[in-house]
Every structure is written in C-alpha cells, then in structure tokens.
Amino acid sequence: MSAVQRHAVVAGAGIGGLTAAVALHRHGWRVTVCERAAGPTAVGAGIVLAPNALRAFDTIGFDITRAAGRAVPAAMGLR
C-alpha cells in the first residue's frame, strides 16, 4: 500500500506564503502557490526581515545569505 502524498494550496506568493510553501515541500508535501499578480513589479522598495523571521528561515533550512542580493541603495530615507 503506497502512502498518499498530502497537498497544500498556499494563497499568496509573498514572504509568508513562499516560506510556508518551502517548509511544506521540504516535509514531503505537494504544494501549489496561487498568486493574483502576474509577476513581480519593480517598486523601488526593500524588504526588511525581523530577527524572528530570520530564525524561521533558519528553522526550515533556508539559507538567507544565498538569497540576499548584493545591491547597495544609492539613497535611503526613514520617515
């Protein structure tokens, strides 16, 4: 008798949705990610991850240093 593979549908391809999808996939789930946007858009914004988010990435084995870009902003402001 073969095991039935579990399937998850993740709504949203943001950081939370993609992290959930990676974690489930690494635990043997078949995952479908649904995203409303046709593709990424350049908005000129950065992403800041809090320490707990970085710990969550570490917990699921995601190497954030490999995914981080090397872009240096020309200017930065805080309002």
Short mmCIF file of all heavy atoms in Angstrom, two decimals:
data_model
loop_
_atom_site.label_atom_id
_atom_site.label_comp_id
_atom_site.label_asym_id
_atom_site.label_seq_id
_atom_site.Cartn_x
_atom_site.Cartn_y
_atom_site.Cartn_z
N MET A 1 0.84 -1.17 0.00
CA MET A 1 0.00 0.00 0.00
C MET A 1 0.89 1.24 0.00
O MET A 1 1.76 1.40 0.83
CB MET A 1 -0.88 -0.05 1.24
CG MET A 1 -1.87 1.05 1.33
SD MET A 1 -2.86 0.78 2.81
CE MET A 1 -4.35 1.45 2.29
N SER A 2 0.69 2.14 -0.93
CA SER A 2 1.52 3.34 -1.03
C SER A 2 0.93 4.47 -0.19
O SER A 2 -0.27 4.56 -0.01
CB SER A 2 1.66 3.79 -2.49
OG SER A 2 0.40 4.17 -2.97
N ALA A 3 1.81 5.32 0.30
CA ALA A 3 1.38 6.47 1.10
C ALA A 3 0.80 7.53 0.18
O ALA A 3 1.30 7.76 -0.91
CB ALA A 3 2.56 7.03 1.88
N VAL A 4 -0.23 8.20 0.65
CA VAL A 4 -0.84 9.28 -0.11
C VAL A 4 -0.08 10.56 0.21
O VAL A 4 0.12 10.90 1.37
CB VAL A 4 -2.33 9.44 0.28
CG1 VAL A 4 -2.94 10.65 -0.41
CG2 VAL A 4 -3.10 8.18 -0.03
N GLN A 5 0.37 11.25 -0.84
CA GLN A 5 1.09 12.50 -0.64
C GLN A 5 0.08 13.61 -0.33
O GLN A 5 -0.92 13.76 -1.01
CB GLN A 5 1.90 12.87 -1.87
CG GLN A 5 2.77 14.08 -1.67
CD GLN A 5 3.60 14.44 -2.89
OE1 GLN A 5 3.20 14.19 -4.01
NE2 GLN A 5 4.75 15.02 -2.64
N ARG A 6 0.36 14.34 0.72
CA ARG A 6 -0.52 15.44 1.10
C ARG A 6 -0.29 16.62 0.16
O ARG A 6 0.81 16.81 -0.34
CB ARG A 6 -0.26 15.85 2.54
CG ARG A 6 -0.67 14.77 3.51
CD ARG A 6 -0.51 15.25 4.92
NE ARG A 6 0.72 14.68 5.43
CZ ARG A 6 1.16 14.89 6.65
NH1 ARG A 6 0.51 15.67 7.48
NH2 ARG A 6 2.27 14.33 7.06
N HIS A 7 -1.35 17.40 -0.04
CA HIS A 7 -1.29 18.54 -0.95
C HIS A 7 -1.79 19.78 -0.23
O HIS A 7 -2.83 19.76 0.41
CB HIS A 7 -2.14 18.28 -2.19
CG HIS A 7 -2.11 19.40 -3.18
ND1 HIS A 7 -3.25 19.88 -3.79
CD2 HIS A 7 -1.11 20.16 -3.66
CE1 HIS A 7 -2.93 20.88 -4.60
NE2 HIS A 7 -1.64 21.06 -4.53
N ALA A 8 -1.02 20.86 -0.32
CA ALA A 8 -1.42 22.14 0.27
C ALA A 8 -1.53 23.18 -0.82
O ALA A 8 -0.75 23.18 -1.78
CB ALA A 8 -0.38 22.58 1.30
N VAL A 9 -2.48 24.06 -0.68
CA VAL A 9 -2.63 25.21 -1.57
C VAL A 9 -2.33 26.44 -0.72
O VAL A 9 -2.96 26.66 0.31
CB VAL A 9 -4.05 25.30 -2.17
CG1 VAL A 9 -4.19 26.56 -3.01
CG2 VAL A 9 -4.35 24.05 -2.99
N VAL A 10 -1.34 27.21 -1.15
CA VAL A 10 -0.93 28.42 -0.43
C VAL A 10 -1.43 29.62 -1.21
O VAL A 10 -1.15 29.75 -2.41
CB VAL A 10 0.62 28.47 -0.28
CG1 VAL A 10 1.04 29.76 0.39
CG2 VAL A 10 1.11 27.26 0.51
N ALA A 11 -2.17 30.48 -0.53
CA ALA A 11 -2.70 31.69 -1.16
C ALA A 11 -1.74 32.85 -0.92
O ALA A 11 -1.59 33.30 0.21
CB ALA A 11 -4.08 32.01 -0.61
N GLY A 12 -1.07 33.28 -1.98
CA GLY A 12 -0.17 34.42 -1.88
C GLY A 12 1.28 34.03 -1.95
O GLY A 12 1.74 33.13 -1.25
N ALA A 13 2.01 34.69 -2.85
CA ALA A 13 3.43 34.40 -3.05
C ALA A 13 4.32 35.45 -2.42
O ALA A 13 5.39 35.76 -2.90
CB ALA A 13 3.73 34.27 -4.54
N GLY A 14 3.85 36.00 -1.29
CA GLY A 14 4.70 36.92 -0.53
C GLY A 14 5.68 36.11 0.30
O GLY A 14 5.78 34.89 0.18
N ILE A 15 6.38 36.79 1.18
CA ILE A 15 7.38 36.12 2.00
C ILE A 15 6.75 35.01 2.84
O ILE A 15 7.27 33.89 2.90
CB ILE A 15 8.12 37.12 2.90
CG1 ILE A 15 9.02 38.00 2.04
CG2 ILE A 15 8.94 36.42 3.97
CD1 ILE A 15 9.72 39.09 2.78
N GLY A 16 5.62 35.29 3.47
CA GLY A 16 4.96 34.28 4.31
C GLY A 16 4.50 33.08 3.51
O GLY A 16 4.72 31.92 3.91
N GLY A 17 3.85 33.32 2.39
CA GLY A 17 3.35 32.22 1.57
C GLY A 17 4.46 31.35 1.00
O GLY A 17 4.39 30.13 1.01
N LEU A 18 5.51 32.00 0.49
CA LEU A 18 6.61 31.24 -0.08
C LEU A 18 7.38 30.47 0.99
O LEU A 18 7.83 29.35 0.76
CB LEU A 18 7.54 32.16 -0.88
CG LEU A 18 6.93 32.74 -2.15
CD1 LEU A 18 7.92 33.68 -2.84
CD2 LEU A 18 6.48 31.65 -3.10
N THR A 19 7.51 31.07 2.18
CA THR A 19 8.18 30.36 3.27
C THR A 19 7.38 29.13 3.67
O THR A 19 7.92 28.04 3.87
CB THR A 19 8.38 31.29 4.48
OG1 THR A 19 9.17 32.40 4.07
CG2 THR A 19 9.07 30.58 5.62
N ALA A 20 6.07 29.29 3.78
CA ALA A 20 5.21 28.15 4.10
C ALA A 20 5.32 27.07 3.03
O ALA A 20 5.41 25.87 3.33
CB ALA A 20 3.76 28.61 4.25
N ALA A 21 5.33 27.48 1.77
CA ALA A 21 5.43 26.52 0.67
C ALA A 21 6.76 25.75 0.71
O ALA A 21 6.78 24.53 0.53
CB ALA A 21 5.28 27.24 -0.67
N VAL A 22 7.85 26.45 0.97
CA VAL A 22 9.16 25.79 1.05
C VAL A 22 9.18 24.80 2.21
O VAL A 22 9.62 23.66 2.07
CB VAL A 22 10.30 26.83 1.21
CG1 VAL A 22 11.61 26.17 1.61
CG2 VAL A 22 10.48 27.60 -0.09
N ALA A 23 8.67 25.23 3.37
CA ALA A 23 8.67 24.36 4.55
C ALA A 23 7.83 23.10 4.30
O ALA A 23 8.26 21.99 4.61
CB ALA A 23 8.15 25.11 5.76
N LEU A 24 6.65 23.27 3.74
CA LEU A 24 5.79 22.11 3.46
C LEU A 24 6.44 21.18 2.44
O LEU A 24 6.43 19.95 2.60
CB LEU A 24 4.42 22.59 2.96
CG LEU A 24 3.54 23.24 4.03
CD1 LEU A 24 2.37 23.97 3.36
CD2 LEU A 24 3.05 22.19 5.01
N HIS A 25 6.99 21.76 1.38
CA HIS A 25 7.65 20.96 0.35
C HIS A 25 8.80 20.14 0.93
O HIS A 25 8.97 18.97 0.62
CB HIS A 25 8.14 21.86 -0.78
CG HIS A 25 8.89 21.13 -1.83
ND1 HIS A 25 8.27 20.32 -2.75
CD2 HIS A 25 10.21 21.08 -2.11
CE1 HIS A 25 9.19 19.79 -3.55
NE2 HIS A 25 10.37 20.26 -3.18
N ARG A 26 9.57 20.75 1.80
CA ARG A 26 10.71 20.05 2.42
C ARG A 26 10.25 18.95 3.36
O ARG A 26 11.04 18.08 3.72
CB ARG A 26 11.62 21.03 3.13
CG ARG A 26 12.38 21.88 2.13
CD ARG A 26 13.35 22.80 2.79
NE ARG A 26 14.14 23.49 1.77
CZ ARG A 26 15.06 24.38 2.03
NH1 ARG A 26 15.34 24.71 3.26
NH2 ARG A 26 15.72 24.96 1.05
N HIS A 27 8.99 18.99 3.77
CA HIS A 27 8.44 17.93 4.60
C HIS A 27 7.60 16.93 3.79
O HIS A 27 6.80 16.19 4.35
CB HIS A 27 7.62 18.52 5.74
CG HIS A 27 8.47 19.02 6.86
ND1 HIS A 27 8.95 20.32 6.90
CD2 HIS A 27 8.95 18.40 7.95
CE1 HIS A 27 9.68 20.47 7.98
NE2 HIS A 27 9.71 19.32 8.64
N GLY A 28 7.79 16.94 2.48
CA GLY A 28 7.16 15.94 1.63
C GLY A 28 5.80 16.27 1.07
O GLY A 28 5.17 15.42 0.45
N TRP A 29 5.34 17.47 1.28
CA TRP A 29 4.04 17.87 0.75
C TRP A 29 4.17 18.29 -0.71
O TRP A 29 5.19 18.81 -1.12
CB TRP A 29 3.47 19.04 1.53
CG TRP A 29 2.98 18.72 2.91
CD1 TRP A 29 3.72 18.20 3.93
CD2 TRP A 29 1.67 18.91 3.41
NE1 TRP A 29 2.93 18.08 5.04
CE2 TRP A 29 1.67 18.51 4.75
CE3 TRP A 29 0.50 19.41 2.86
CZ2 TRP A 29 0.53 18.57 5.54
CZ3 TRP A 29 -0.63 19.48 3.65
CH2 TRP A 29 -0.61 19.05 4.98
N ARG A 30 3.11 18.09 -1.46
CA ARG A 30 2.99 18.68 -2.79
C ARG A 30 2.32 20.02 -2.57
O ARG A 30 1.31 20.11 -1.87
CB ARG A 30 2.14 17.78 -3.70
CG ARG A 30 2.08 18.24 -5.13
CD ARG A 30 1.46 17.17 -6.03
NE ARG A 30 0.12 16.81 -5.62
CZ ARG A 30 -1.00 17.37 -6.09
NH1 ARG A 30 -0.94 18.33 -6.97
NH2 ARG A 30 -2.18 16.97 -5.67
N VAL A 31 2.88 21.10 -3.12
CA VAL A 31 2.40 22.45 -2.82
C VAL A 31 2.06 23.19 -4.11
O VAL A 31 2.83 23.17 -5.06
CB VAL A 31 3.46 23.25 -2.03
CG1 VAL A 31 2.94 24.65 -1.69
CG2 VAL A 31 3.87 22.51 -0.76
N THR A 32 0.93 23.86 -4.10
CA THR A 32 0.54 24.76 -5.17
C THR A 32 0.45 26.16 -4.57
O THR A 32 -0.25 26.37 -3.58
CB THR A 32 -0.83 24.37 -5.77
OG1 THR A 32 -0.75 23.04 -6.27
CG2 THR A 32 -1.23 25.33 -6.88
N VAL A 33 1.18 27.12 -5.15
CA VAL A 33 1.13 28.50 -4.69
C VAL A 33 0.29 29.30 -5.68
O VAL A 33 0.56 29.30 -6.88
CB VAL A 33 2.55 29.11 -4.58
CG1 VAL A 33 2.47 30.57 -4.15
CG2 VAL A 33 3.40 28.31 -3.60
N CYS A 34 -0.73 29.98 -5.18
CA CYS A 34 -1.59 30.81 -6.01
C CYS A 34 -1.29 32.28 -5.73
O CYS A 34 -1.24 32.69 -4.57
CB CYS A 34 -3.06 30.53 -5.71
SG CYS A 34 -3.55 28.83 -6.00
N GLU A 35 -1.07 33.04 -6.78
CA GLU A 35 -0.76 34.46 -6.64
C GLU A 35 -1.58 35.25 -7.64
O GLU A 35 -1.67 34.87 -8.80
CB GLU A 35 0.73 34.71 -6.86
CG GLU A 35 1.16 36.15 -6.92
CD GLU A 35 0.75 36.96 -5.70
OE1 GLU A 35 1.00 36.54 -4.57
OE2 GLU A 35 0.16 38.05 -5.89
N ARG A 36 -2.18 36.31 -7.19
CA ARG A 36 -3.04 37.14 -8.04
C ARG A 36 -2.25 37.94 -9.06
O ARG A 36 -2.68 38.14 -10.19
CB ARG A 36 -3.88 38.04 -7.13
CG ARG A 36 -4.50 39.23 -7.79
CD ARG A 36 -5.38 40.01 -6.87
NE ARG A 36 -4.70 40.38 -5.63
CZ ARG A 36 -5.29 41.03 -4.65
NH1 ARG A 36 -6.55 41.37 -4.74
NH2 ARG A 36 -4.62 41.36 -3.57
N ALA A 37 -1.07 38.45 -8.67
CA ALA A 37 -0.26 39.28 -9.57
C ALA A 37 0.37 38.41 -10.67
O ALA A 37 0.79 37.29 -10.42
CB ALA A 37 0.84 40.00 -8.79
N ALA A 38 0.44 38.97 -11.85
CA ALA A 38 1.02 38.24 -12.99
C ALA A 38 2.53 38.03 -12.84
O ALA A 38 3.09 37.09 -13.39
CB ALA A 38 0.72 38.98 -14.28
N GLY A 39 3.17 38.90 -12.11
CA GLY A 39 4.61 38.79 -11.92
C GLY A 39 5.09 39.86 -10.97
O GLY A 39 4.32 40.73 -10.56
N PRO A 40 6.36 39.82 -10.63
CA PRO A 40 6.89 40.83 -9.72
C PRO A 40 6.95 42.20 -10.40
O PRO A 40 7.10 42.29 -11.61
CB PRO A 40 8.29 40.32 -9.38
CG PRO A 40 8.65 39.40 -10.50
CD PRO A 40 7.37 38.84 -11.02
N THR A 41 6.80 43.22 -9.61
CA THR A 41 6.90 44.57 -10.13
C THR A 41 8.03 45.30 -9.40
O THR A 41 8.28 45.06 -8.23
CB THR A 41 5.59 45.35 -9.92
OG1 THR A 41 5.29 45.38 -8.53
CG2 THR A 41 4.43 44.71 -10.67
N ALA A 42 8.69 46.16 -10.11
CA ALA A 42 9.77 46.94 -9.50
C ALA A 42 9.13 48.16 -8.86
O ALA A 42 8.60 49.03 -9.53
CB ALA A 42 10.77 47.35 -10.56
N VAL A 43 9.17 48.21 -7.54
CA VAL A 43 8.56 49.33 -6.84
C VAL A 43 9.60 50.19 -6.13
O VAL A 43 9.25 51.18 -5.51
CB VAL A 43 7.50 48.86 -5.83
CG1 VAL A 43 6.33 48.20 -6.53
CG2 VAL A 43 8.11 47.93 -4.81
N GLY A 44 10.83 49.79 -6.18
CA GLY A 44 11.87 50.57 -5.54
C GLY A 44 11.89 50.45 -4.04
O GLY A 44 12.37 51.32 -3.34
N ALA A 45 11.33 49.37 -3.53
CA ALA A 45 11.27 49.18 -2.08
C ALA A 45 12.18 48.03 -1.68
O ALA A 45 12.46 47.14 -2.47
CB ALA A 45 9.84 48.88 -1.66
N GLY A 46 12.60 48.06 -0.46
CA GLY A 46 13.40 46.98 0.08
C GLY A 46 12.57 46.13 1.02
O GLY A 46 11.44 46.47 1.36
N ILE A 47 13.13 45.04 1.42
CA ILE A 47 12.46 44.15 2.37
C ILE A 47 13.35 44.06 3.61
O ILE A 47 14.53 43.76 3.51
CB ILE A 47 12.25 42.74 1.77
CG1 ILE A 47 11.34 42.83 0.55
CG2 ILE A 47 11.68 41.80 2.81
CD1 ILE A 47 11.20 41.53 -0.19
N VAL A 48 12.77 44.30 4.74
CA VAL A 48 13.47 44.18 6.00
C VAL A 48 12.84 43.03 6.76
O VAL A 48 11.61 42.98 6.92
CB VAL A 48 13.38 45.48 6.83
CG1 VAL A 48 14.05 45.31 8.17
CG2 VAL A 48 14.00 46.63 6.07
N LEU A 49 13.66 42.11 7.20
CA LEU A 49 13.16 40.96 7.94
C LEU A 49 13.59 41.06 9.40
O LEU A 49 14.76 41.26 9.70
CB LEU A 49 13.68 39.65 7.33
CG LEU A 49 13.26 39.40 5.89
CD1 LEU A 49 13.94 38.15 5.36
CD2 LEU A 49 11.76 39.25 5.80
N ALA A 50 12.63 40.92 10.28
CA ALA A 50 12.90 40.97 11.72
C ALA A 50 13.67 39.70 12.13
O ALA A 50 13.64 38.69 11.41
CB ALA A 50 11.59 41.07 12.48
N PRO A 51 14.34 39.75 13.26
CA PRO A 51 15.09 38.57 13.72
C PRO A 51 14.25 37.30 13.82
O PRO A 51 14.74 36.21 13.50
CB PRO A 51 15.59 39.00 15.10
CG PRO A 51 15.73 40.48 15.00
CD PRO A 51 14.56 40.90 14.14
N ASN A 52 12.98 37.41 14.21
CA ASN A 52 12.16 36.19 14.29
C ASN A 52 11.89 35.60 12.91
O ASN A 52 11.80 34.38 12.75
CB ASN A 52 10.86 36.45 15.05
CG ASN A 52 9.99 37.49 14.40
OD1 ASN A 52 10.45 38.34 13.66
ND2 ASN A 52 8.70 37.45 14.71
N ALA A 53 11.81 36.44 11.88
CA ALA A 53 11.65 35.93 10.52
C ALA A 53 12.91 35.21 10.06
O ALA A 53 12.84 34.17 9.41
CB ALA A 53 11.31 37.07 9.57
N LEU A 54 14.07 35.77 10.41
CA LEU A 54 15.33 35.11 10.05
C LEU A 54 15.47 33.78 10.77
O LEU A 54 15.96 32.80 10.20
CB LEU A 54 16.51 36.03 10.36
CG LEU A 54 16.53 37.34 9.56
CD1 LEU A 54 17.67 38.23 10.04
CD2 LEU A 54 16.64 37.06 8.07
N ARG A 55 15.01 33.70 12.02
CA ARG A 55 15.03 32.42 12.75
C ARG A 55 14.10 31.41 12.09
O ARG A 55 14.39 30.22 12.02
CB ARG A 55 14.67 32.63 14.21
CG ARG A 55 15.79 33.22 15.04
CD ARG A 55 15.52 33.14 16.54
NE ARG A 55 14.33 33.87 16.95
CZ ARG A 55 14.29 35.18 17.22
NH1 ARG A 55 15.38 35.90 17.10
NH2 ARG A 55 13.17 35.74 17.59
N ALA A 56 12.95 31.89 11.61
CA ALA A 56 12.02 30.99 10.92
C ALA A 56 12.66 30.42 9.66
O ALA A 56 12.54 29.23 9.37
CB ALA A 56 10.72 31.73 10.59
N PHE A 57 13.34 31.27 8.89
CA PHE A 57 14.06 30.78 7.70
C PHE A 57 15.10 29.74 8.09
O PHE A 57 15.24 28.71 7.45
CB PHE A 57 14.74 31.93 6.95
CG PHE A 57 13.84 32.73 6.06
CD1 PHE A 57 13.97 34.11 5.99
CD2 PHE A 57 12.88 32.13 5.27
CE1 PHE A 57 13.16 34.86 5.15
CE2 PHE A 57 12.06 32.87 4.43
CZ PHE A 57 12.20 34.24 4.38
N ASP A 58 15.84 30.02 9.15
CA ASP A 58 16.87 29.09 9.61
C ASP A 58 16.25 27.76 10.02
O ASP A 58 16.78 26.69 9.73
CB ASP A 58 17.65 29.71 10.77
CG ASP A 58 18.85 28.90 11.16
OD1 ASP A 58 19.63 28.53 10.25
OD2 ASP A 58 19.02 28.62 12.37
N THR A 59 15.10 27.81 10.68
CA THR A 59 14.41 26.60 11.14
C THR A 59 14.04 25.68 9.98
O THR A 59 14.14 24.46 10.10
CB THR A 59 13.15 26.99 11.93
OG1 THR A 59 13.55 27.74 13.07
CG2 THR A 59 12.37 25.77 12.38
N ILE A 60 13.63 26.27 8.85
CA ILE A 60 13.24 25.42 7.72
C ILE A 60 14.41 25.12 6.79
O ILE A 60 14.25 24.47 5.77
CB ILE A 60 12.07 26.02 6.92
CG1 ILE A 60 12.47 27.31 6.22
CG2 ILE A 60 10.86 26.21 7.79
CD1 ILE A 60 11.46 27.77 5.18
N GLY A 61 15.61 25.59 7.16
CA GLY A 61 16.79 25.28 6.36
C GLY A 61 17.00 26.17 5.15
O GLY A 61 17.71 25.81 4.22
N PHE A 62 16.39 27.35 5.15
CA PHE A 62 16.54 28.28 4.03
C PHE A 62 17.73 29.18 4.29
O PHE A 62 17.79 29.86 5.32
CB PHE A 62 15.26 29.12 3.87
CG PHE A 62 15.29 30.05 2.70
CD1 PHE A 62 15.02 29.59 1.43
CD2 PHE A 62 15.59 31.39 2.87
CE1 PHE A 62 15.04 30.45 0.34
CE2 PHE A 62 15.63 32.25 1.79
CZ PHE A 62 15.34 31.78 0.53
N ASP A 63 18.68 29.18 3.39
CA ASP A 63 19.89 29.98 3.55
C ASP A 63 19.66 31.39 3.02
O ASP A 63 19.76 31.63 1.82
CB ASP A 63 21.06 29.31 2.83
CG ASP A 63 22.38 30.03 3.04
OD1 ASP A 63 22.42 31.03 3.79
OD2 ASP A 63 23.38 29.58 2.45
N ILE A 64 19.36 32.30 3.91
CA ILE A 64 19.04 33.67 3.51
C ILE A 64 20.24 34.36 2.86
O ILE A 64 20.08 35.21 2.00
CB ILE A 64 18.49 34.48 4.71
CG1 ILE A 64 17.92 35.82 4.26
CG2 ILE A 64 19.55 34.71 5.77
CD1 ILE A 64 16.67 35.72 3.46
N THR A 65 21.45 33.97 3.23
CA THR A 65 22.63 34.62 2.65
C THR A 65 22.76 34.30 1.16
O THR A 65 23.27 35.12 0.41
CB THR A 65 23.92 34.21 3.39
OG1 THR A 65 24.09 32.79 3.30
CG2 THR A 65 23.87 34.63 4.84
N ARG A 66 22.29 33.15 0.74
CA ARG A 66 22.34 32.80 -0.69
C ARG A 66 21.26 33.54 -1.47
O ARG A 66 21.42 33.79 -2.66
CB ARG A 66 22.18 31.30 -0.89
CG ARG A 66 23.40 30.53 -0.40
CD ARG A 66 23.33 29.08 -0.75
NE ARG A 66 23.29 28.94 -2.20
CZ ARG A 66 22.73 27.91 -2.82
NH1 ARG A 66 22.18 26.95 -2.15
NH2 ARG A 66 22.73 27.85 -4.12
N ALA A 67 20.17 33.88 -0.81
CA ALA A 67 19.06 34.53 -1.50
C ALA A 67 19.19 36.05 -1.51
O ALA A 67 18.58 36.71 -2.34
CB ALA A 67 17.74 34.14 -0.83
N ALA A 68 19.96 36.59 -0.60
CA ALA A 68 20.09 38.05 -0.49
C ALA A 68 20.84 38.61 -1.69
O ALA A 68 21.84 38.05 -2.13
CB ALA A 68 20.80 38.42 0.80
N GLY A 69 20.36 39.70 -2.18
CA GLY A 69 21.04 40.36 -3.30
C GLY A 69 22.23 41.16 -2.80
O GLY A 69 22.47 41.29 -1.61
N ARG A 70 22.96 41.70 -3.73
CA ARG A 70 24.14 42.47 -3.37
C ARG A 70 23.98 43.96 -3.72
O ARG A 70 24.93 44.69 -3.75
CB ARG A 70 25.37 41.92 -4.11
CG ARG A 70 25.61 40.46 -3.78
CD ARG A 70 27.09 40.18 -3.84
NE ARG A 70 27.41 38.78 -3.74
CZ ARG A 70 27.44 38.11 -2.60
NH1 ARG A 70 27.12 38.69 -1.48
NH2 ARG A 70 27.77 36.83 -2.58
N ALA A 71 22.77 44.35 -3.96
CA ALA A 71 22.52 45.74 -4.34
C ALA A 71 22.72 46.67 -3.14
O ALA A 71 22.33 46.37 -2.04
CB ALA A 71 21.09 45.89 -4.87
N VAL A 72 23.35 47.78 -3.42
CA VAL A 72 23.55 48.81 -2.39
C VAL A 72 22.71 50.01 -2.81
O VAL A 72 22.87 50.52 -3.92
CB VAL A 72 25.05 49.19 -2.28
CG1 VAL A 72 25.23 50.30 -1.28
CG2 VAL A 72 25.88 47.98 -1.92
N PRO A 73 21.81 50.47 -1.94
CA PRO A 73 20.96 51.60 -2.33
C PRO A 73 21.77 52.87 -2.52
O PRO A 73 22.72 53.14 -1.78
CB PRO A 73 19.99 51.72 -1.17
CG PRO A 73 20.66 51.07 -0.01
CD PRO A 73 21.56 50.01 -0.59
N ALA A 74 21.37 53.67 -3.49
CA ALA A 74 22.03 54.95 -3.74
C ALA A 74 21.66 55.95 -2.66
O ALA A 74 22.42 56.83 -2.31
CB ALA A 74 21.64 55.47 -5.11
N ALA A 75 20.46 55.81 -2.13
CA ALA A 75 19.98 56.71 -1.08
C ALA A 75 18.95 55.96 -0.24
O ALA A 75 18.32 55.03 -0.72
CB ALA A 75 19.35 57.95 -1.67
N MET A 76 18.84 56.38 0.99
CA MET A 76 17.87 55.73 1.86
C MET A 76 17.28 56.79 2.78
O MET A 76 17.98 57.70 3.21
CB MET A 76 18.55 54.64 2.69
CG MET A 76 17.59 53.83 3.50
SD MET A 76 18.40 52.53 4.48
CE MET A 76 19.16 51.55 3.23
N GLY A 77 16.01 56.68 3.06
CA GLY A 77 15.36 57.63 3.95
C GLY A 77 14.45 56.92 4.92
O GLY A 77 13.94 55.84 4.63
N LEU A 78 14.26 57.50 6.05
CA LEU A 78 13.37 56.96 7.05
C LEU A 78 12.39 58.05 7.44
O LEU A 78 12.82 59.16 7.79
CB LEU A 78 14.16 56.49 8.27
CG LEU A 78 13.37 55.87 9.41
CD1 LEU A 78 12.64 54.62 8.94
CD2 LEU A 78 14.31 55.54 10.55
N ARG A 79 11.14 57.77 7.32
CA ARG A 79 10.13 58.79 7.62
C ARG A 79 9.19 58.29 8.68
O ARG A 79 8.85 57.20 8.77
CB ARG A 79 9.35 59.15 6.36
CG ARG A 79 10.21 59.85 5.33
CD ARG A 79 9.43 60.12 4.05
NE ARG A 79 10.13 60.90 3.09
CZ ARG A 79 11.15 60.50 2.36
NH1 ARG A 79 11.64 59.30 2.50
NH2 ARG A 79 11.70 61.29 1.49
#
